[in-house]
Amino acid sequence: MLEVKSLLGHGSDVNIIGIYGIGGIGKTTISRAVYNLICSQFEGTCFLLDIREKAINKQGLVQLQEMLLSEVLKKKHIKVGDVNRGIPIIKRRLEKKKVLLVLDDVDKLEQLKVLAGESRWFGNGSIIIITTRDKHLLATHGVVKIYDVKPLNVAKALELFNWCAFKNHKADPLYVNIANRAVSYACGIPLALEVIGSHLFGKSLNECNSALDKYERIPHEKIHEIFKVSYDGLEENEKGIFLDIACFLNTFKVSYVTQMLHAHGFHPEDGLRVLVDKSLVKIDASGFVRMHDLIRDTGIEIVRQESTVEPGRRSRLWFKEDIVHVLEENTVC
């Protein structure tokens, strides 16, 4: 949170700040903490939560505009009627107010254009915080102050897991291996640590080990759905690239990955850029393509769910046993 605070500034200009990272990394938690810390300094405040889910159509955008105006102006039942009418109303009513506005989980440029299209919509000293999974979206909107949320380090991850699983900052000595195993699996993603920790609360050693065995084979449904949201928002070319990297090409050199993706009929240069911008893959300083373990598991699970019983009906095969089964039984469809 200290890094975000350093971006806020203290001048009279309107500050627009982007917070981005993969699902479950803590973007909303960080923005909420900053909001609670500084909200008393503003004439009007508004925290618009889950914009991606609420802005499913034009009417959803209208309702968000009305919520924004109602909360900032502290007036109930404000109506704008139409999304295009809402834009000048927001500008006219808020351009002289010092506003703190959080736009949480934005996934489309249109959402930004109708809720905070320009900094001059708001008064001097206003702060607009945008959380998103898509770095390119922030760049397209002209946001230059950007905070990339990183996974928790091992010490912080252990502390969070222990509080969720044992209601203590330290694990019982009998459960230390369980805690270490869970933290290794979650790779610093707070949501995963909270979900797994809460699930293991009050369970025996055998039950904990059994649950972790299962998660290493099939991801927890809640964790899977969080990451699948990003996959569902991709176009077909990027979906194919994502699944190929998850199943076959993770940790390979980008030149080799590009070559193989071309051979599979994809357009990898633009597709890889999209996946990087959406925090689904990274290309490290040595030029290797790297996908977070939980995101990789999401891709593998998406393919497994194409046919949970018969591997030959899946679009991709990577386990030796499945490949042997398909070849011996001739079950390819």
Side-chain angles (χ1 to χ4, degrees), residues 161-192:
F161 175 79
N162 288 338
W163 276 114
C164 293
F166 312 117
K167 309 306 177 190
N168 202 322
H169 69 283
K170 282 188 176 182
D172 183 289
L174 292 175
Y175 284 82
V176 167
N177 287 338
I178 294 294
N180 289 334
R181 190 177 169 192
V183 166
S184 176
Y185 170 77
C187 297
I189 304 297
L191 175 78

Side-chain angles (χ1 to χ4, degrees), residues 5 28 55 129 149 201 211 214 237 246 270 284 333:
K5 284 180 64 180
T28 302
I129 298 174
V149 185
F201 174 72
K214 180 180 70 174
N237 180 66
D270 181 59
D284 68 18
C333 295

Side-chain angles (χ1 to χ4, degrees), residues 40-218:
S40 61
Q41 304 170 23
F42 297 84
E43 297 175 68
T45 63
C46 178
F47 195 115
L48 288 179
L49 195 64
D50 297 328
I51 288 175
R52 173 182 52 81
E53 293 183 4
K54 293 172 181 172
I56 55 175
N57 52 38
K58 292 289 185 184
Q59 189 55 38
L61 289 171
V62 168
Q63 290 171 354
L64 287 166
Q65 289 178 324
E66 292 170 349
M67 288 171 61
L68 167 56
L69 288 165
S70 294
E71 290 193 24
V72 172
L73 299 174
K74 298 180 176 60
K75 293 183 179 179
K76 294 181 179 180
H77 311 305
I78 292 180
K79 298 295 180 184
V80 300
D82 174 81
V83 69
N84 292 317
R85 283 190 65 240
I87 291 172
I89 293 173
I90 292 172
K91 182 178 182 298
R92 186 174 66 251
R93 301 294 297 271
L94 303 186
E95 64 182 349
K96 297 188 183 303
K97 281 190 173 291
K98 183 182 177 182
V99 171
L100 173 61
L101 171 62
V102 176
L103 304 176
D104 173 65
D105 198 17
V106 174
D107 72 334
K108 290 183 174 58
L109 187 60
E110 181 187 20
Q111 297 157 6
L112 294 177
K113 286 184 174 179
V114 304
L115 294 170
E118 298 178 23
S119 59
R120 61 192 178 95
W121 288 15
F122 308 96
N124 290 340
S126 293
I127 293 177
I128 316 301
I129 298 174
I130 302 163
T131 77
T132 182
R133 304 183 186 202
D134 189 346
K135 186 179 182 181
H136 183 68
L137 184 68
L138 296 172
T140 304
H141 195 58
V143 181
V144 295
K145 293 183 176 181
I146 297 174
Y147 176 58
D148 178 4
V149 185
K150 299 291 195 296
L152 298 176
N153 61 34
V154 172
K156 290 292 185 183
L158 271 171
E159 184 177 350
L160 176 58
F161 175 79
N162 288 338
W163 276 114
C164 293
F166 312 117
K167 309 306 177 190
N168 202 322
H169 69 283
K170 282 188 176 182
D172 183 289
L174 292 175
Y175 284 82
V176 167
N177 287 338
I178 294 294
N180 289 334
R181 190 177 169 192
V183 166
S184 176
Y185 170 77
C187 297
I189 304 297
L191 175 78
L193 292 161
E194 291 171 1
V195 168
I196 295 169
S198 298
H199 180 74
L200 298 184
F201 174 72
K203 298 199 171 181
S204 68
L205 278 173
N206 285 339
E207 289 170 333
C208 288
N209 277 309
S210 176
L212 290 171
D213 287 343
K214 180 180 70 174
Y215 295 150
E216 287 170 359
R217 187 171 57 89
I218 301 174

